[in-house]
Amino acid sequence: MRQVIFLIRSEDRKGLLAGISGFFYSRGLNILECRQYTDVLENRYFMRVAVELGPEMTRKELESGFAELAAGLKLTYSVHYQDDVQNVAILVSKTSHCLYDLLMHAEEGSLNGRIMLVIGNHPDLESVADRFRIPFYCCPIEEGKSADQEERVLGLLRHHRIDLVVLARYMRILSDKFISSYPERIINIHHAFLPAFQGGNPYQRAWERGVKMIGATAHYATAELDEGPIIEQDVERITHESGPDQLRERGRDIERRVLTRAVQAHLEHRVIISGRRTIVFGQ
Amino acid sequence: MRQVIFLIRSEDRKGLLAGISGFFYSRGLNILECRQYTDVLENRYFMRVAVELGPEMTRKELESGFAELAAGLKLTYSVHYQDDVQNVAILVSKTSHCLYDLLMHAEEGSLNGRIMLVIGNHPDLESVADRFRIPFYCCPIEEGKSADQEERVLGLLRHHRIDLVVLARYMRILSDKFISSYPERIINIHHAFLPAFQGGNPYQRAWERGVKMIGATAHYATAELDEGPIIEQDVERITHESGPDQLRERGRDIERRVLTRAVQAHLEHRVIISGRRTIVFGQ
Amino acid sequence: MRQVIFLIRSEDRKGLLAGISGFFYSRGLNILECRQYTDVLENRYFMRVAVELGPEMTRKELESGFAELAAGLKLTYSVHYQDDVQNVAILVSKTSHCLYDLLMHAEEGSLNGRIMLVIGNHPDLESVADRFRIPFYCCPIEEGKSADQEERVLGLLRHHRIDLVVLARYMRILSDKFISSYPERIINIHHAFLPAFQGGNPYQRAWERGVKMIGATAHYATAELDEGPIIEQDVERITHESGPDQLRERGRDIERRVLTRAVQAHLEHRVIISGRRTIVFGQ
Amino acid sequence: MRQVIFLIRSEDRKGLLAGISGFFYSRGLNILECRQYTDVLENRYFMRVAVELGPEMTRKELESGFAELAAGLKLTYSVHYQDDVQNVAILVSKTSHCLYDLLMHAEEGSLNGRIMLVIGNHPDLESVADRFRIPFYCCPIEEGKSADQEERVLGLLRHHRIDLVVLARYMRILSDKFISSYPERIINIHHAFLPAFQGGNPYQRAWERGVKMIGATAHYATAELDEGPIIEQDVERITHESGPDQLRERGRDIERRVLTRAVQAHLEHRVIISGRRTIVFGQ
């Protein structure tokens, strides 16, 4: 028995649920889970259906059947097979905390994907990747030649057939070209509770502003910096006793758990993007 | 247009979603929201469907049609009409904080019900009820005559056709007879994070034990004290600086918000009981 | 026995703690509580000392003694007597939730001050104040005559010898003149997690941005809108299911508890302002 | 400049603060930080003072001076030098998540101690220790010979001059003899929000009870199982959708952060034990 997940978006119309659930029922497929959300303000419909695919039907039969239904109901959708391993690449610079957390969760089996490689624009984290037996590639950026470096990185991603790119405190701004090569498939961690403290040096600015909580935000990278659809956020309460350095340290633990949760949600096919927002169906 | 909500529970079987959604679609009723949960461990299926009922169909037609479907699919269910006002009674003793919070939310229109009366076993909170123009009945308990008092309270509840009884820090243990008169319709607040500190004096015991967080729990009252299905819980971080009195004061704010949220969830027909657990569909 | 609280700020120097604690000890005054914080980045020292003043010493003697010490150690400070009631005014517009919460806490005895009056620029909340037997003054704003209205409000504040002004969702921007009449003594609630969503319509903007948590911020009002020193913040997790209206409703419960906590902290003399930041000593 | 930390407990008496701060001032030592807490219910006084020790005074001079003061004021205390490395041992069984988190934080420099060795009663986690180049000792327990195994473990701890023993999901109950060899120096993580779900299988029981939040508790190990003084707790909100397996997975992230925070607090000399409670001075 294989699990198949459909992520569906559509204009909201009567009969969508009856139509889709009827489709699976009529083919004898068991629905394991079905979640929907209707955005009444924008008249949009979102659905995540997980069904069991037995030996009596091939992927091809299932997909062509569903394609027909989708054409009739005007659905936009994607299909995901639990069996298919998703390949993940992690881009890093010099700080290790998010990288460690992802490697550790992968090792413990709680990441629905395989980390294929780690790419650093600095060599610092090679030893971390080494510890987990993950190939590390150092792609430094020569003055004025960041396009070359991006080409090299893109080459590595293509070579490893990467499905998801995770920016684990990668301290470079990616070009539009790079980002558009992996639409809705690059996840970044910003070390602040967006939209507060967009841009650089958020902990210093948080301290100067005297906020009483700090946070972190994981979002899909888009052409506009720190403006992509948010997947996950979290905060922690701080007091006046924490200076910028303490905030940075406290923040590390928030960043890593926010990024890991966002990556888990994406790899478990629980996220649908809707403009600047995301629908994230709970675990 | 009236909104109708079906709360459904059943053994899990193939075709439930297709069957139920097909029923509404075939009758031209728009599904506003549909949430399901399959408990794979106990093979149980739970569903909350909200549909729009227009002038083209009567309640009776809808209900008799659905009854037929339910018989075929072996569903247990209840039907709730958004139009029908639910009558709420609040039982109190001497502390006002939960009562205030419920009255305030009712006043602000964020409680899907009408508070018909407040009953106290002490006269202390009459002035609070007065402020909000809610009738207050004092039903004191004479030594050894608690059965008589319960009869008087039950009489008031029946007279006001009460749908939900809220124990807002009512410091008496109700008899099985009383509780069985309102099955799954009495909500109690316990001033601790159950199952920690069941029974009396939880803040004192929390302080003695040196816990680092305190909490509160709203649950349906059942024959066994503090053992009913939990609807909502919350906690707050405390430090060594808080003695039992400070915990009590901090706790008041947790208690009131936990109780109010539980009452809101019940009155919005978002709760289904399953043995000792509850399915609470999010707001 | 009366409790006296000293709030002290100073440049950081050796011997401050020894000097101050020695002062109280040599006069036979018992230190109930002493909290300090050294801001090493800005070389500032902050202290809150609570001592017991018995019949053997007058206020005048205590104050003149401490004044001498403070001159020697170059301390800036304020003295507060637990016995002295602090007079509070609440300014409101049309939404009642923060007002209710403050009135309720005052009634329960958990606000270290007396609410003397409620002032609205609209008449809507008169009935709320009435319920708690608090005088309500309606000071509407005539087109182009907001200075006149502010004069009237200031007159009321002076007449009632107000110590703290609470803006409980008062939807008007106060003039610099007004604000400078009550420096460090006006507390405002902003319905967002500052510095995110400064200015108007934060819930709508939070929804559009697709954040996963919403919050509220209580701060001292200063000449720059939403830029004053933050006293308290809190957030709650939301999901994609909440539209702007749901956020507004969820937000109400965050706003009220954040504002009440900030007002409690101020009235308990637990807040010291340091530029754009606050030192808030825990309860 | 070396930092020296004094952890002090005493009966509460007038003049303690003046006496202690006067001591440091008179010797020309700068107080970097001073925190106190008076437990008025039990009339106990607790203090953490951090001072700078320059070249003008030796450890011996400081200690003998303070010993004299302490004898006069009847203080119980301990002295800790920031320079002195604390040796940490981690005991594990088969699950890696807490071990990983501690190793990772040590690697990042946010653990004020050196992990000297990892001891497992099973060989499973040897590879994890290997990755971080930490010696791993497998001390399996032969049927009926747990005393022998404990002797072997104690031998290793003595050999490595261990200051703190961390039970990172070590699934064996330690003997009183073992525990009394490291009084107030063994930290355990319990995978529930104590005192709820003491003993075995807490996630299963949490699911059966239908709680809406799960938690974890780090505490000092004492002769009574799960009854030692609590250092740190945390919880996360769950829904009906999580079965026991999901709780276990969610719980792993709570356990690791709670244990790491408790270990950090202990190693930073921020914890004082007072009977069944702990005073934990904030970071």
Side-chain angles (χ1 to χ4, degrees):
Chain A
M1 278 295 180
R2 292 156 295 164
Q3 200 181 121
V4 192
I5 292 158
F6 289 82
L7 294 180
I8 301 165
R9 34 188 161 179
S10 153
E11 197 187 319
D12 189 30
R13 250 168 292 111
K14 259 192 205 180
L16 290 175
L17 180 59
I20 297 168
S21 59
F23 168 83
F24 292 116
Y25 183 56
S26 68
R27 268 144 193 88
L29 297 168
N30 193 25
I31 294 179
L32 297 167
E33 202 184 274
C34 173
R35 302 189 196 211
Q36 312 125 252
Y37 166 60
T38 306
D39 181 340
V40 291
L41 289 162
E42 307 197 325
N43 199 40
R44 305 275 304 154
Y45 184 79
F46 304 90
M47 191 185 221
R48 181 190 191 272
V49 204
V51 298
E52 267 179 335
L53 181 60
E56 72 287 354
M57 190 183 290
T58 64
R59 286 187 179 200
K60 210 170 167 179
E61 285 162 359
L62 175 63
E63 292 196 19
S64 71
F66 195 84
E68 212 171 299
L69 176 84
L73 294 173
K74 293 183 192 159
L75 311 176
T76 305
Y77 71 99
S78 58
V79 198
H80 308 274
Y81 296 87
Q82 209 62 22
D83 289 355
D84 294 354
V85 173
Q86 297 170 83
N87 295 336
V88 178
I90 304 178
L91 269 62
V92 298
S93 291
K94 293 181 172 185
T95 53
S96 60
H97 55 286
C98 288
L99 175 58
Y100 263 131
D101 210 64
L102 290 163
L103 292 168
M104 182 173 75
H105 278 87
E107 196 71 26
E108 290 172 0
S110 57
L111 215 63
N112 187 32
R114 189 192 297 161
I115 298 174
M116 303 296 286
L117 76 167
V118 176
I119 301 172
N121 61 331
H122 294 281
D124 305 48
L125 301 185
E126 175 155 20
S127 68
V128 175
D130 270 7
R131 283 183 181 171
F132 290 79
R133 311 282 177 267
I134 306 290
F136 180 90
Y137 296 85
C138 185
C139 299
I141 298 161
E142 280 177 65
E143 188 65 35
K145 294 196 171 173
S146 68
D148 294 0
Q149 189 252 14
E150 282 199 352
E151 270 316 311
R152 220 192 128 200
V153 174
L154 282 171
L156 285 164
L157 300 180
R158 275 189 298 264
H159 178 74
H160 287 88
R161 301 162 168 272
I162 292 305
D163 297 296
L164 177 68
V165 179
V166 181
L167 308 178
R169 298 298 310 273
Y170 183 67
M171 304 306 278
R172 298 291 302 186
I173 295 169
L174 297 169
S175 72
D176 289 8
K177 194 195 154 207
F178 190 104
I179 284 167
S180 61
S181 306
Y182 286 88
E184 309 196 346
R185 292 192 292 150
I186 305 176
I187 296 178
N188 182 43
I189 180 75
H190 183 72
H191 41 318
F193 186 79
L194 288 177
F197 306 120
Q198 274 177 265
N201 234 349
Y203 292 120
Q204 176 67 31
R205 289 154 63 207
W207 176 76
E208 285 168 6
R209 181 61 190 89
V211 294
K212 297 299 182 189
M213 303 181 107
I214 54 166
T217 304
H219 62 92
Y220 288 106
T222 57
E224 288 162 281
L225 188 65
D226 299 337
E227 291 281 358
I230 293 169
I231 308 167
E232 171 73 355
Q233 300 189 289
D234 207 354
V235 299
E236 279 189 26
R237 195 166 280 279
I238 56 164
T239 74
H240 55 267
E241 297 182 4
S242 298
D245 286 345
Q246 284 77 44
L247 297 190
R248 224 162 267 130
E249 187 169 329
R250 284 287 296 279
R252 284 208 300 256
D253 283 326
I254 313 175
E255 291 165 33
R256 67 179 124 213
R257 72 171 179 259
V258 166
L259 180 59
T260 296
R261 280 184 199 160
V263 169
Q264 287 175 323
H266 178 94
L267 291 174
E268 292 163 10
H269 313 295
R270 296 191 280 106
V271 187
I272 305 179
I273 297 178
S274 173
R276 285 187 76 198
R277 294 200 298 279
T278 59
I279 317 304
V280 182
F281 293 108
Q283 188 192 13
Chain B
M1 278 296 180
R2 293 157 293 165
Q3 202 181 117
V4 191
I5 291 157
F6 290 81
L7 293 180
I8 300 165
R9 34 188 161 179
S10 152
E11 196 186 319
D12 189 30
R13 250 168 292 111
K14 260 192 205 181
L16 290 176
L17 181 58
I20 296 167
S21 60
F23 168 83
F24 293 114
Y25 183 56
S26 69
R27 269 143 192 88
L29 298 166
N30 193 25
I31 293 179
L32 297 167
E33 203 184 274
C34 173
R35 301 189 196 212
Q36 312 126 251
Y37 165 61
T38 306
D39 181 340
V40 292
L41 289 162
E42 306 199 324
N43 200 41
R44 306 275 303 155
Y45 184 78
F46 302 91
M47 191 185 221
R48 182 191 192 271
V49 203
V51 298
E52 268 178 335
L53 181 61
E56 72 288 355
M57 190 183 289
T58 64
R59 285 188 179 198
K60 209 168 168 180
E61 286 163 357
L62 174 65
E63 292 196 20
S64 69
F66 195 83
E68 210 172 301
L69 175 86
L73 294 173
K74 293 183 192 159
L75 311 175
T76 305
Y77 70 99
S78 58
V79 198
H80 308 274
Y81 295 87
Q82 209 63 23
D83 290 354
D84 295 354
V85 173
Q86 297 171 83
N87 295 337
V88 179
I90 305 179
L91 269 62
V92 298
S93 291
K94 292 182 173 186
T95 53
S96 61
H97 55 286
C98 289
L99 175 59
Y100 263 131
D101 209 64
L102 290 164
L103 291 169
M104 181 173 77
H105 278 88
E107 195 70 26
E108 290 172 359
S110 58
L111 214 62
N112 187 31
R114 188 192 299 159
I115 298 174
M116 302 296 286
L117 76 168
V118 176
I119 301 173
N121 61 332
H122 293 281
D124 305 48
L125 302 185
E126 176 156 17
S127 68
V128 176
D130 270 5
R131 283 181 182 172
F132 290 80
R133 311 281 178 265
I134 307 290
F136 180 89
Y137 296 86
C138 184
C139 300
I141 298 162
E142 281 176 65
E143 188 67 33
K145 295 197 172 172
S146 68
D148 293 359
Q149 189 252 14
E150 282 199 352
E151 269 316 311
R152 221 192 127 199
V153 173
L154 282 171
L156 285 165
L157 300 180
R158 275 190 298 265
H159 178 74
H160 287 88
R161 300 164 169 271
I162 291 305
D163 296 297
L164 178 69
V165 178
V166 181
L167 308 178
R169 297 299 309 275
Y170 183 66
M171 304 306 277
R172 298 289 304 185
I173 295 170
L174 297 169
S175 71
D176 289 9
K177 192 194 155 210
F178 189 105
I179 286 167
S180 62
S181 305
Y182 286 87
E184 308 197 347
R185 292 193 291 150
I186 305 176
I187 296 178
N188 182 43
I189 180 75
H190 183 72
H191 41 318
F193 186 79
L194 288 177
F197 307 119
Q198 274 177 265
N201 233 347
Y203 292 120
Q204 175 69 29
R205 288 154 63 205
W207 176 76
E208 285 168 7
R209 181 63 191 91
V211 294
K212 296 300 182 189
M213 304 181 108
I214 53 166
T217 305
H219 62 92
Y220 287 107
T222 57
E224 288 164 281
L225 188 66
D226 298 337
E227 289 282 356
I230 293 169
I231 308 167
E232 171 73 354
Q233 300 189 289
D234 207 352
V235 299
E236 279 190 25
R237 195 168 279 278
I238 55 164
T239 74
H240 56 267
E241 296 183 6
S242 298
D245 287 344
Q246 284 77 45
L247 297 190
R248 223 162 268 129
E249 186 169 331
R250 283 287 296 279
R252 284 209 299 257
D253 283 327
I254 313 175
E255 291 164 34
R256 68 179 124 213
R257 73 171 180 259
V258 166
L259 179 59
T260 296
R261 279 184 198 160
V263 170
Q264 287 175 322
H266 178 94
L267 292 174
E268 292 164 10
H269 313 295
R270 296 191 280 107
V271 187
I272 304 179
I273 297 179
S274 172
R276 286 188 74 199
R277 294 199 299 280
T278 59
I279 317 305
V280 182
F281 294 107
Q283 188 194 14
Chain C
M1 278 295 180
R2 294 155 295 166
Q3 202 181 120
V4 191
I5 292 157
F6 290 81
L7 294 180
I8 301 165
R9 34 190 161 178
S10 154
E11 196 186 317
D12 189 30
R13 250 169 292 111
K14 260 191 205 180
L16 290 176
L17 180 59
I20 297 168
S21 59
F23 168 83
F24 292 115
Y25 183 56
S26 68
R27 269 143 192 88
L29 297 167
N30 192 25
I31 293 180
L32 298 166
E33 203 185 273
C34 172
R35 303 188 194 212
Q36 313 124 252
Y37 166 61
T38 307
D39 181 339
V40 292
L41 290 162
E42 306 198 324
N43 199 42
R44 305 274 304 154
Y45 183 78
F46 304 90
M47 191 186 222
R48 180 191 193 271
V49 204
V51 299
E52 266 178 337
L53 181 61
E56 72 288 354
M57 190 182 291
T58 63
R59 288 188 178 199
K60 210 168 168 181
E61 286 163 356
L62 174 63
E63 292 195 21
S64 70
F66 195 85
E68 212 172 298
L69 175 85
L73 294 173
K74 293 182 191 159
L75 311 176
T76 305
Y77 70 100
S78 57
V79 198
H80 308 274
Y81 295 86
Q82 209 63 22
D83 289 354
D84 294 354
V85 172
Q86 297 170 83
N87 295 336
V88 178
I90 305 179
L91 270 62
V92 298
S93 290
K94 293 183 172 183
T95 53
S96 61
H97 55 286
C98 289
L99 175 58
Y100 263 131
D101 210 63
L102 290 164
L103 291 169
M104 181 173 76
H105 278 86
E107 195 70 26
E108 290 172 359
S110 57
L111 215 63
N112 186 32
R114 188 190 300 160
I115 298 174
M116 301 297 285
L117 75 168
V118 176
I119 302 172
N121 61 332
H122 294 281
D124 304 48
L125 301 185
E126 176 156 17
S127 67
V128 175
D130 270 5
R131 284 183 180 171
F132 290 79
R133 311 279 177 268
I134 306 291
F136 180 89
Y137 296 84
C138 184
C139 300
I141 299 161
E142 280 177 65
E143 187 66 33
K145 296 197 170 171
S146 68
D148 294 0
Q149 189 253 14
E150 282 199 352
E151 269 317 311
R152 218 190 129 202
V153 173
L154 282 171
L156 285 165
L157 300 180
R158 275 189 298 264
H159 178 74
H160 288 88
R161 301 163 167 271
I162 291 305
D163 296 297
L164 178 68
V165 179
V166 181
L167 308 178
R169 299 299 308 275
Y170 183 66
M171 305 306 278
R172 297 291 302 185
I173 295 169
L174 296 168
S175 71
D176 289 9
K177 192 195 156 211
F178 189 105
I179 286 167
S180 61
S181 306
Y182 286 88
E184 308 196 347
R185 292 194 289 150
I186 304 175
I187 296 179
N188 182 43
I189 180 75
H190 183 72
H191 41 318
F193 186 81
L194 288 177
F197 307 120
Q198 274 178 264
N201 233 348
Y203 291 119
Q204 175 70 29
R205 288 154 64 206
W207 177 76
E208 285 167 7
R209 182 62 191 90
V211 294
K212 297 298 183 189
M213 302 180 108
I214 54 166
T217 304
H219 62 93
Y220 288 105
T222 57
E224 288 163 280
L225 188 66
D226 299 338
E227 290 282 357
I230 293 169
I231 308 168
E232 171 73 355
Q233 300 190 289
D234 207 353
V235 299
E236 278 189 26
R237 196 166 279 279
I238 55 163
T239 73
H240 56 267
E241 296 182 6
S242 298
D245 287 344
Q246 284 77 45
L247 297 189
R248 224 162 268 129
E249 187 170 330
R250 284 288 296 279
R252 284 209 299 256
D253 283 327
I254 313 175
E255 291 164 33
R256 69 178 123 211
R257 72 170 179 260
V258 166
L259 179 58
T260 295
R261 280 183 198 160
V263 169
Q264 287 176 322
H266 178 95
L267 291 175
E268 292 163 10
H269 313 295
R270 296 191 281 107
V271 187
I272 304 178
I273 297 178
S274 172
R276 286 188 74 198
R277 295 200 297 279
T278 60
I279 317 305
V280 182
F281 294 108
Q283 187 195 14
Chain D
M1 279 294 179
R2 294 156 292 165
Q3 201 181 119
V4 192
I5 292 156
F6 290 81
L7 293 180
I8 301 164
R9 36 187 160 180
S10 153
E11 196 186 320
D12 190 30
R13 250 169 293 113
K14 261 192 205 179
L16 290 175
L17 180 58
I20 298 168
S21 60
F23 169 83
F24 293 115
Y25 183 56
S26 68
R27 271 142 192 88
L29 297 167
N30 193 25
I31 293 180
L32 297 167
E33 202 183 273
C34 173
R35 303 188 195 213
Q36 312 125 252
Y37 165 62
T38 306
D39 182 339
V40 291
L41 289 162
E42 307 198 323
N43 199 40
R44 305 274 304 154
Y45 183 78
F46 303 91
M47 190 185 222
R48 181 190 191 272
V49 202
V51 299
E52 267 178 337
L53 182 61
E56 72 289 353
M57 190 183 288
T58 65
R59 287 188 178 197
K60 209 169 168 179
E61 286 163 356
L62 175 64
E63 292 195 20
S64 70
F66 196 85
E68 212 172 300
L69 175 85
L73 295 173
K74 293 183 191 158
L75 310 177
T76 306
Y77 71 99
S78 58
V79 198
H80 308 273
Y81 295 86
Q82 209 64 21
D83 288 355
D84 294 354
V85 173
Q86 297 171 83
N87 294 337
V88 179
I90 304 178
L91 271 60
V92 298
S93 290
K94 293 182 170 182
T95 53
S96 61
H97 55 286
C98 288
L99 175 59
Y100 263 130
D101 210 64
L102 289 163
L103 292 168
M104 181 173 76
H105 278 87
E107 195 72 26
E108 289 171 1
S110 58
L111 213 63
N112 187 30
R114 188 192 299 158
I115 298 173
M116 301 297 285
L117 76 168
V118 176
I119 301 172
N121 61 333
H122 294 281
D124 305 47
L125 302 185
E126 176 155 19
S127 68
V128 176
D130 271 5
R131 283 182 181 172
F132 289 80
R133 309 281 177 267
I134 306 291
F136 180 91
Y137 297 84
C138 184
C139 300
I141 298 162
E142 280 177 66
E143 187 66 34
K145 295 195 172 174
S146 67
D148 293 1
Q149 190 253 13
E150 282 200 352
E151 270 316 311
R152 221 193 127 199
V153 174
L154 282 170
L156 285 165
L157 300 180
R158 277 189 296 264
H159 178 76
H160 288 88
R161 299 165 168 271
I162 291 304
D163 296 297
L164 178 68
V165 179
V166 181
L167 309 179
R169 297 299 310 274
Y170 183 66
M171 305 305 277
R172 296 291 303 185
I173 295 169
L174 297 169
S175 71
D176 289 9
K177 193 194 154 209
F178 190 106
I179 286 167
S180 60
S181 306
Y182 286 87
E184 308 197 349
R185 291 193 290 149
I186 305 176
I187 295 178
N188 182 44
I189 180 75
H190 183 72
H191 41 318
F193 186 79
L194 287 177
F197 307 120
Q198 274 177 266
N201 233 349
Y203 292 120
Q204 176 69 30
R205 288 155 62 207
W207 177 76
E208 286 168 7
R209 181 62 190 89
V211 294
K212 298 298 183 189
M213 303 181 107
I214 54 167
T217 305
H219 62 92
Y220 288 106
T222 57
E224 288 163 280
L225 188 66
D226 298 337
E227 290 282 357
I230 293 169
I231 308 166
E232 171 74 354
Q233 300 189 289
D234 207 353
V235 299
E236 280 190 24
R237 196 167 278 279
I238 56 163
T239 73
H240 56 266
E241 296 182 6
S242 296
D245 287 345
Q246 283 78 44
L247 297 190
R248 223 162 267 129
E249 187 168 331
R250 284 287 296 280
R252 285 208 300 256
D253 283 327
I254 313 175
E255 292 165 33
R256 68 179 124 212
R257 74 171 179 259
V258 166
L259 180 58
T260 296
R261 279 183 198 161
V263 170
Q264 287 175 322
H266 178 95
L267 292 173
E268 291 163 11
H269 313 296
R270 296 191 280 106
V271 187
I272 304 178
I273 296 178
S274 172
R276 287 187 74 198
R277 296 199 296 281
T278 60
I279 317 306
V280 182
F281 294 107
Q283 189 195 13

